[in-house]
Amino acid sequence: MGSRVVKHRSADTRRGSMRVLFATGMSAMACIFFSLPLRAETVVQGTLQLQWADPPRSLSGRAQAAPQLDAWLDMGPGQRVPLDVTQAKRAAGDLYALANRRVAVSYATHANIAASSKVMSASAATATISAIVPTDRLPQRAKATGADGRVMASAPVLGATRWVTVMCKFADIAAEQKPRSYFQAQYGNAPGQLGHYWSEVSYGQINLAGSSAHGWYTLPKPRAAYLADVNGKQKAQLSELFSDCAAAADADVDFSGIQGVNLMFNGELDGNAWGGGACTTLDGIYTCTRVTWSPPWSFANLAPLAHEMGHGYGLPHSNNSDGDSDTYDNPWDVMSDAWRNATSDATYGLLPKHPNMYQRERLGWLPASRKRVIAADNRATHEIVLDAGSVLKTANTQLVVLALPAQPDPYKTVIYTLEARRRTGTYEANLAGDAVIIHKLEDYGIAYSVDRDTPPATLSSNEGSMLKVGGRWNTPDELHWVEVVSATAQGFVVRIGPRPRSMSSPAPALERPANVVASSSPAPRPSTPARPVATASVTVERKRTCDVLPSMLRLSSICALLDPER
């Protein structure tokens, strides 16, 4: 009898253990399959519209207002579907590269699974965006994965990009802040005008030939009629503003073949200027195009207007590495802080700085010969003449990419870039300094300027954001080190090498550039950095248990159990 009791208890213990293992397994399965679609629900096609809201420059002592990003799928007159921005970014990989293009959006139905040690239940299924893919014809280069491991998803923006300015007055506001001649002259090709600026930053790859300004036209409604209450805040109705303003100008303006429309309004919108894309009927044809919406404080300065046009070309915001929610704290880039460290003009106000080199390269503006990629498995030491981005014609490098190991999802592959900036010319003369600027590319294509200070500064115009002669920096994983060796007349000489090796390993070869143009007062060249003796962990590769698991199971908690020394 006693033995039977013991046997029963042993069986109960085994059954209890099995239940625990089963529950644990089901919990793991819930985690694994939580995001897997149960069935495809629908696929819809249309034109992707991205619309960025940018507030004015914050007053001293006040927090900068937050930016906004709206995403829409336009399927024809009166058929617009809002897209969840977070889902859209994840589903597209590079959402910004698809702005103003025909796309297919696939929705999938997912089960909302709640798991515990005892039960697993599914609540009502929800539709989420599973994929966004272009359906228009792409240039071949847009389909390739670059040497840096990232997807070249952007279609180049090249040639004539004709913009039309339409100035519109609200029915209840009579003021006309600027004459038509002012807006027409903004498109000029003299230094300090938009035609000159966009030609310079694109190295002549685009121009604004044929651009023109028209107005003032009176809108059919007062300002308040174009505002809606959204989550307790006023929001400008951009599509309605575009439609009514374009309709008022339609008899006078030839919209055929345009690449963008700059809308100017004689009153405040919702506290923001906007840039991106929109659709309406132009010359009797339903058309989707690049659009900006500017209140008086925006069109009084070329800097914020160029920022909004940048959104029209598909450029996202840039940022810095301080980790806060303010995207307008990188004064090295017009697509972040357009206001600070800007030059000025008596007629056109603050002028735009250049965008970062990576964004110029992804739009097809940087010649391939001016880009240099240092592979993730680099074993050599390279010495490179890095010319400033403001140099228009050069045989030297203007963008260095420090590649890191490619990720299974190439859109999530992180890279670092190096570019030189010099205080010179119409647009760059008021920069914080002459230096090599480092950017980290992540978050589906956002460029973050790197600050070597700890903690990083709130505004990246500090010394930590500038790598100057004699300065040295390592990528966080120490795959690459970078040193600025000397200054040249147009930039800097930089030396780049791999992580240190053990003493038994052969020294990496030093690759020098063919020509180094010295500055008028060259700094002394430091010796090649010493390579400290590496520990065995650097040179001896150990196959870790976690590495053999499928990527979706390589959770930090699981790997910590399997590889306690990891």
Short mmCIF file of all heavy atoms in Angstrom, two decimals, residues 484-535:
data_model
loop_
_atom_site.label_atom_id
_atom_site.label_comp_id
_atom_site.label_asym_id
_atom_site.label_seq_id
_atom_site.Cartn_x
_atom_site.Cartn_y
_atom_site.Cartn_z
N VAL A 484 41.89 61.88 -36.68
CA VAL A 484 42.09 62.99 -37.60
C VAL A 484 43.58 63.35 -37.56
O VAL A 484 44.09 63.82 -36.54
CB VAL A 484 41.22 64.20 -37.25
CG1 VAL A 484 41.47 65.34 -38.24
CG2 VAL A 484 39.75 63.81 -37.25
N VAL A 485 44.26 63.14 -38.67
CA VAL A 485 45.72 63.28 -38.71
C VAL A 485 46.13 64.73 -38.92
O VAL A 485 47.02 65.26 -38.24
CB VAL A 485 46.31 62.38 -39.82
CG1 VAL A 485 47.81 62.58 -39.94
CG2 VAL A 485 45.97 60.92 -39.56
N SER A 486 45.50 65.40 -39.88
CA SER A 486 45.90 66.77 -40.21
C SER A 486 44.78 67.46 -40.96
O SER A 486 43.83 66.82 -41.42
CB SER A 486 47.18 66.78 -41.05
OG SER A 486 46.97 66.11 -42.29
N ALA A 487 44.91 68.77 -41.08
CA ALA A 487 43.97 69.57 -41.85
C ALA A 487 44.53 69.78 -43.25
O ALA A 487 45.74 69.80 -43.47
CB ALA A 487 43.72 70.91 -41.18
N THR A 488 43.64 69.93 -44.22
CA THR A 488 44.01 70.30 -45.59
C THR A 488 43.28 71.58 -45.95
O THR A 488 42.48 72.11 -45.18
CB THR A 488 43.65 69.19 -46.58
OG1 THR A 488 42.22 69.13 -46.70
CG2 THR A 488 44.16 67.84 -46.12
N ALA A 489 43.53 72.07 -47.14
CA ALA A 489 42.87 73.30 -47.58
C ALA A 489 41.37 73.12 -47.69
O ALA A 489 40.60 74.09 -47.56
CB ALA A 489 43.45 73.75 -48.92
N GLN A 490 40.90 71.90 -47.91
CA GLN A 490 39.48 71.67 -48.15
C GLN A 490 38.85 70.65 -47.20
O GLN A 490 37.70 70.30 -47.36
CB GLN A 490 39.25 71.19 -49.60
CG GLN A 490 39.70 72.19 -50.63
CD GLN A 490 39.34 71.77 -52.04
OE1 GLN A 490 38.88 72.58 -52.84
NE2 GLN A 490 39.54 70.52 -52.37
N GLY A 491 39.60 70.20 -46.20
CA GLY A 491 39.04 69.22 -45.30
C GLY A 491 40.08 68.69 -44.34
O GLY A 491 40.81 69.46 -43.70
N PHE A 492 40.19 67.36 -44.27
CA PHE A 492 41.09 66.73 -43.31
C PHE A 492 41.65 65.44 -43.88
O PHE A 492 41.10 64.86 -44.81
CB PHE A 492 40.35 66.41 -42.00
CG PHE A 492 39.78 67.63 -41.32
CD1 PHE A 492 38.48 68.04 -41.58
CD2 PHE A 492 40.55 68.37 -40.43
CE1 PHE A 492 37.95 69.17 -40.97
CE2 PHE A 492 40.04 69.50 -39.81
CZ PHE A 492 38.74 69.90 -40.08
N VAL A 493 42.75 65.00 -43.29
CA VAL A 493 43.26 63.65 -43.52
C VAL A 493 42.87 62.82 -42.31
O VAL A 493 43.17 63.19 -41.18
CB VAL A 493 44.78 63.63 -43.72
CG1 VAL A 493 45.28 62.20 -43.86
CG2 VAL A 493 45.16 64.45 -44.96
N VAL A 494 42.18 61.71 -42.56
CA VAL A 494 41.77 60.84 -41.46
C VAL A 494 42.43 59.49 -41.62
O VAL A 494 42.69 59.02 -42.74
CB VAL A 494 40.24 60.68 -41.41
CG1 VAL A 494 39.57 61.99 -41.12
CG2 VAL A 494 39.69 60.08 -42.70
N ARG A 495 42.74 58.87 -40.50
CA ARG A 495 43.32 57.53 -40.49
C ARG A 495 42.32 56.60 -39.81
O ARG A 495 41.79 56.91 -38.74
CB ARG A 495 44.66 57.53 -39.77
CG ARG A 495 45.42 56.21 -39.86
CD ARG A 495 46.79 56.35 -39.18
NE ARG A 495 47.63 57.28 -39.91
CZ ARG A 495 48.63 57.98 -39.37
NH1 ARG A 495 48.88 57.87 -38.08
NH2 ARG A 495 49.36 58.79 -40.10
N ILE A 496 42.06 55.46 -40.44
CA ILE A 496 41.06 54.51 -39.95
C ILE A 496 41.68 53.13 -39.89
O ILE A 496 42.35 52.69 -40.84
CB ILE A 496 39.83 54.49 -40.88
CG1 ILE A 496 39.22 55.88 -40.98
CG2 ILE A 496 38.78 53.48 -40.38
CD1 ILE A 496 38.18 56.02 -42.08
N GLY A 497 41.50 52.45 -38.78
CA GLY A 497 42.06 51.12 -38.63
C GLY A 497 41.12 50.18 -37.92
O GLY A 497 40.06 50.58 -37.42
N PRO A 498 41.51 48.89 -37.86
CA PRO A 498 40.67 47.88 -37.23
C PRO A 498 40.92 47.79 -35.74
O PRO A 498 41.84 48.42 -35.21
CB PRO A 498 41.10 46.60 -37.94
CG PRO A 498 42.57 46.83 -38.19
CD PRO A 498 42.71 48.32 -38.47
N ARG A 499 40.15 46.96 -35.07
CA ARG A 499 40.36 46.73 -33.65
C ARG A 499 41.75 46.14 -33.44
O ARG A 499 42.28 45.43 -34.30
CB ARG A 499 39.27 45.82 -33.08
CG ARG A 499 39.54 44.34 -33.26
CD ARG A 499 38.64 43.52 -32.34
NE ARG A 499 37.28 43.44 -32.83
CZ ARG A 499 36.26 43.06 -32.08
NH1 ARG A 499 36.44 42.78 -30.81
NH2 ARG A 499 35.06 42.98 -32.59
N PRO A 500 42.39 46.43 -32.31
CA PRO A 500 43.76 45.93 -32.08
C PRO A 500 43.82 44.40 -32.11
O PRO A 500 42.88 43.72 -31.71
CB PRO A 500 44.08 46.46 -30.68
CG PRO A 500 43.17 47.60 -30.47
CD PRO A 500 41.92 47.26 -31.22
N ARG A 501 44.96 43.89 -32.59
CA ARG A 501 45.19 42.45 -32.62
C ARG A 501 46.22 42.06 -31.55
O ARG A 501 46.85 42.91 -30.94
CB ARG A 501 45.72 42.03 -33.99
CG ARG A 501 44.71 42.20 -35.12
CD ARG A 501 45.31 41.70 -36.40
NE ARG A 501 44.34 41.65 -37.47
CZ ARG A 501 44.55 41.04 -38.62
NH1 ARG A 501 45.71 40.45 -38.85
NH2 ARG A 501 43.63 41.02 -39.55
N SER A 502 46.39 40.77 -31.41
CA SER A 502 47.43 40.29 -30.49
C SER A 502 48.79 40.52 -31.12
O SER A 502 48.93 40.71 -32.32
CB SER A 502 47.21 38.80 -30.20
OG SER A 502 47.41 38.05 -31.37
N MET A 503 49.84 40.47 -30.30
CA MET A 503 51.18 40.74 -30.79
C MET A 503 51.64 39.72 -31.82
O MET A 503 52.49 40.00 -32.65
CB MET A 503 52.16 40.74 -29.61
CG MET A 503 51.99 41.94 -28.68
SD MET A 503 52.31 43.51 -29.49
CE MET A 503 54.09 43.38 -29.70
N SER A 504 51.05 38.50 -31.78
CA SER A 504 51.48 37.48 -32.72
C SER A 504 50.88 37.67 -34.10
O SER A 504 51.30 37.04 -35.05
CB SER A 504 51.08 36.09 -32.19
OG SER A 504 49.67 36.02 -32.03
N SER A 505 49.88 38.58 -34.21
CA SER A 505 49.25 38.80 -35.50
C SER A 505 50.06 39.79 -36.31
O SER A 505 50.69 40.69 -35.76
CB SER A 505 47.83 39.35 -35.31
OG SER A 505 47.05 38.45 -34.56
N PRO A 506 50.07 39.64 -37.64
CA PRO A 506 50.82 40.59 -38.47
C PRO A 506 50.19 41.97 -38.39
O PRO A 506 48.98 42.11 -38.27
CB PRO A 506 50.69 39.99 -39.88
CG PRO A 506 49.46 39.14 -39.82
CD PRO A 506 49.41 38.59 -38.44
N ALA A 507 51.01 43.00 -38.42
CA ALA A 507 50.51 44.37 -38.37
C ALA A 507 49.76 44.68 -39.65
O ALA A 507 50.19 44.32 -40.74
CB ALA A 507 51.68 45.35 -38.19
N PRO A 508 48.62 45.37 -39.55
CA PRO A 508 47.89 45.72 -40.76
C PRO A 508 48.65 46.73 -41.61
O PRO A 508 49.37 47.58 -41.09
CB PRO A 508 46.58 46.33 -40.21
CG PRO A 508 46.93 46.80 -38.84
CD PRO A 508 47.97 45.85 -38.34
N ALA A 509 48.49 46.61 -42.90
CA ALA A 509 49.18 47.51 -43.81
C ALA A 509 48.57 48.90 -43.73
O ALA A 509 47.38 49.06 -43.52
CB ALA A 509 49.08 46.98 -45.24
N LEU A 510 49.40 49.89 -43.89
CA LEU A 510 48.94 51.27 -43.92
C LEU A 510 48.71 51.69 -45.36
O LEU A 510 49.63 51.68 -46.16
CB LEU A 510 49.96 52.21 -43.26
CG LEU A 510 49.67 53.72 -43.37
CD1 LEU A 510 48.35 54.04 -42.68
CD2 LEU A 510 50.80 54.53 -42.77
N GLU A 511 47.47 52.02 -45.69
CA GLU A 511 47.14 52.47 -47.03
C GLU A 511 47.05 53.99 -47.01
O GLU A 511 46.21 54.56 -46.32
CB GLU A 511 45.81 51.86 -47.49
CG GLU A 511 45.86 50.36 -47.61
CD GLU A 511 44.58 49.81 -48.20
OE1 GLU A 511 43.73 50.63 -48.62
OE2 GLU A 511 44.42 48.58 -48.25
N ARG A 512 47.90 54.64 -47.77
CA ARG A 512 47.91 56.10 -47.82
C ARG A 512 47.23 56.59 -49.10
O ARG A 512 47.24 55.92 -50.11
CB ARG A 512 49.34 56.64 -47.79
CG ARG A 512 50.10 56.30 -46.51
CD ARG A 512 51.48 56.92 -46.53
NE ARG A 512 52.24 56.58 -45.35
CZ ARG A 512 52.17 57.24 -44.20
NH1 ARG A 512 51.35 58.28 -44.12
NH2 ARG A 512 52.89 56.88 -43.16
N PRO A 513 46.63 57.79 -49.03
CA PRO A 513 46.04 58.35 -50.25
C PRO A 513 47.11 58.76 -51.24
O PRO A 513 48.27 58.98 -50.87
CB PRO A 513 45.27 59.57 -49.72
CG PRO A 513 46.02 59.97 -48.49
CD PRO A 513 46.51 58.67 -47.88
N ALA A 514 46.72 58.83 -52.49
CA ALA A 514 47.69 59.19 -53.53
C ALA A 514 48.19 60.61 -53.34
O ALA A 514 49.37 60.91 -53.53
CB ALA A 514 47.05 59.02 -54.90
N ASN A 515 47.26 61.53 -52.97
CA ASN A 515 47.65 62.92 -52.83
C ASN A 515 47.07 63.47 -51.54
O ASN A 515 45.91 63.26 -51.24
CB ASN A 515 47.15 63.77 -54.00
CG ASN A 515 47.77 63.34 -55.31
OD1 ASN A 515 48.98 63.43 -55.48
ND2 ASN A 515 46.95 62.86 -56.23
N VAL A 516 47.86 64.19 -50.80
CA VAL A 516 47.40 64.88 -49.60
C VAL A 516 47.75 66.35 -49.77
O VAL A 516 48.92 66.71 -49.84
CB VAL A 516 48.05 64.32 -48.32
CG1 VAL A 516 47.61 65.13 -47.11
CG2 VAL A 516 47.72 62.85 -48.14
N VAL A 517 46.70 67.20 -49.84
CA VAL A 517 46.93 68.64 -50.01
C VAL A 517 47.03 69.26 -48.64
O VAL A 517 46.08 69.25 -47.87
CB VAL A 517 45.76 69.28 -50.81
CG1 VAL A 517 46.03 70.75 -51.01
CG2 VAL A 517 45.61 68.56 -52.15
N ALA A 518 48.17 69.80 -48.31
CA ALA A 518 48.38 70.36 -46.97
C ALA A 518 47.75 71.72 -46.85
O ALA A 518 47.61 72.46 -47.82
CB ALA A 518 49.88 70.45 -46.69
N SER A 519 47.36 72.06 -45.62
CA SER A 519 46.84 73.40 -45.37
C SER A 519 48.01 74.37 -45.24
O SER A 519 49.17 73.98 -45.22
CB SER A 519 46.01 73.40 -44.08
OG SER A 519 46.85 73.09 -42.99
N SER A 520 47.68 75.67 -45.12
CA SER A 520 48.73 76.66 -45.01
C SER A 520 49.54 76.50 -43.73
O SER A 520 50.68 76.90 -43.66
CB SER A 520 48.11 78.07 -45.06
OG SER A 520 47.14 78.20 -44.04
N SER A 521 48.93 75.93 -42.70
CA SER A 521 49.65 75.69 -41.45
C SER A 521 49.33 74.28 -40.97
O SER A 521 48.56 74.09 -40.06
CB SER A 521 49.24 76.71 -40.39
OG SER A 521 47.85 76.68 -40.21
N PRO A 522 49.95 73.31 -41.63
CA PRO A 522 49.60 71.92 -41.31
C PRO A 522 50.01 71.54 -39.90
O PRO A 522 51.04 71.97 -39.40
CB PRO A 522 50.37 71.09 -42.35
CG PRO A 522 51.53 71.97 -42.72
CD PRO A 522 51.03 73.38 -42.65
N ALA A 523 49.14 70.73 -39.28
CA ALA A 523 49.47 70.23 -37.95
C ALA A 523 50.45 69.09 -38.08
O ALA A 523 50.45 68.36 -39.07
CB ALA A 523 48.19 69.75 -37.25
N PRO A 524 51.31 68.91 -37.10
CA PRO A 524 52.26 67.79 -37.16
C PRO A 524 51.51 66.47 -37.17
O PRO A 524 50.51 66.30 -36.47
CB PRO A 524 53.07 67.94 -35.87
CG PRO A 524 52.19 68.77 -34.96
CD PRO A 524 51.44 69.69 -35.87
N ARG A 525 51.99 65.56 -38.00
CA ARG A 525 51.33 64.26 -38.13
C ARG A 525 51.75 63.35 -36.98
O ARG A 525 52.92 63.06 -36.79
CB ARG A 525 51.69 63.61 -39.46
CG ARG A 525 51.14 62.19 -39.60
CD ARG A 525 51.36 61.67 -40.99
NE ARG A 525 50.67 62.48 -41.97
CZ ARG A 525 50.73 62.23 -43.28
NH1 ARG A 525 51.43 61.23 -43.75
NH2 ARG A 525 50.09 63.01 -44.12
N PRO A 526 50.75 62.90 -36.21
CA PRO A 526 51.10 61.97 -35.13
C PRO A 526 51.54 60.63 -35.68
O PRO A 526 51.24 60.27 -36.82
CB PRO A 526 49.78 61.83 -34.34
CG PRO A 526 48.75 62.58 -35.10
CD PRO A 526 49.37 63.22 -36.29
N SER A 527 52.26 59.92 -34.88
CA SER A 527 52.69 58.59 -35.30
C SER A 527 51.51 57.66 -35.35
O SER A 527 50.47 57.92 -34.77
CB SER A 527 53.74 58.05 -34.33
OG SER A 527 53.19 57.99 -33.02
N THR A 528 51.70 56.54 -36.06
CA THR A 528 50.65 55.53 -36.14
C THR A 528 50.28 55.07 -34.74
O THR A 528 51.16 54.76 -33.94
CB THR A 528 51.11 54.33 -36.97
OG1 THR A 528 51.48 54.79 -38.26
CG2 THR A 528 50.00 53.28 -37.09
N PRO A 529 48.97 55.03 -34.41
CA PRO A 529 48.57 54.67 -33.05
C PRO A 529 49.12 53.31 -32.65
O PRO A 529 49.15 52.36 -33.44
CB PRO A 529 47.04 54.64 -33.14
CG PRO A 529 46.71 55.47 -34.34
CD PRO A 529 47.85 55.30 -35.27
N ALA A 530 49.59 53.25 -31.41
CA ALA A 530 50.10 51.97 -30.90
C ALA A 530 48.96 50.99 -30.75
O ALA A 530 47.84 51.36 -30.45
CB ALA A 530 50.77 52.19 -29.54
N ARG A 531 49.29 49.74 -31.02
CA ARG A 531 48.29 48.70 -30.90
C ARG A 531 48.54 47.93 -29.61
O ARG A 531 49.48 47.16 -29.51
CB ARG A 531 48.35 47.75 -32.09
CG ARG A 531 48.16 48.46 -33.42
CD ARG A 531 48.37 47.48 -34.56
NE ARG A 531 48.32 48.15 -35.83
CZ ARG A 531 49.32 48.83 -36.35
NH1 ARG A 531 50.45 48.93 -35.70
NH2 ARG A 531 49.19 49.43 -37.51
N PRO A 532 47.69 48.14 -28.63
CA PRO A 532 47.92 47.44 -27.36
C PRO A 532 47.73 45.95 -27.52
O PRO A 532 47.04 45.48 -28.41
CB PRO A 532 46.84 48.03 -26.44
CG PRO A 532 45.79 48.56 -27.37
CD PRO A 532 46.52 49.01 -28.59
N VAL A 533 48.38 45.21 -26.62
CA VAL A 533 48.25 43.77 -26.66
C VAL A 533 46.83 43.39 -26.31
O VAL A 533 46.29 43.82 -25.30
CB VAL A 533 49.23 43.12 -25.66
CG1 VAL A 533 49.05 41.59 -25.66
CG2 VAL A 533 50.66 43.48 -26.02
N ALA A 534 46.21 42.60 -27.17
CA ALA A 534 44.84 42.20 -26.93
C ALA A 534 44.80 40.94 -26.09
O ALA A 534 45.71 40.13 -26.12
CB ALA A 534 44.12 41.95 -28.26
N THR A 535 43.74 40.79 -25.35
CA THR A 535 43.57 39.57 -24.57
C THR A 535 43.13 38.45 -25.48
O THR A 535 42.72 38.66 -26.61
CB THR A 535 42.52 39.79 -23.48
OG1 THR A 535 41.28 40.09 -24.13
CG2 THR A 535 42.89 40.95 -22.57
#
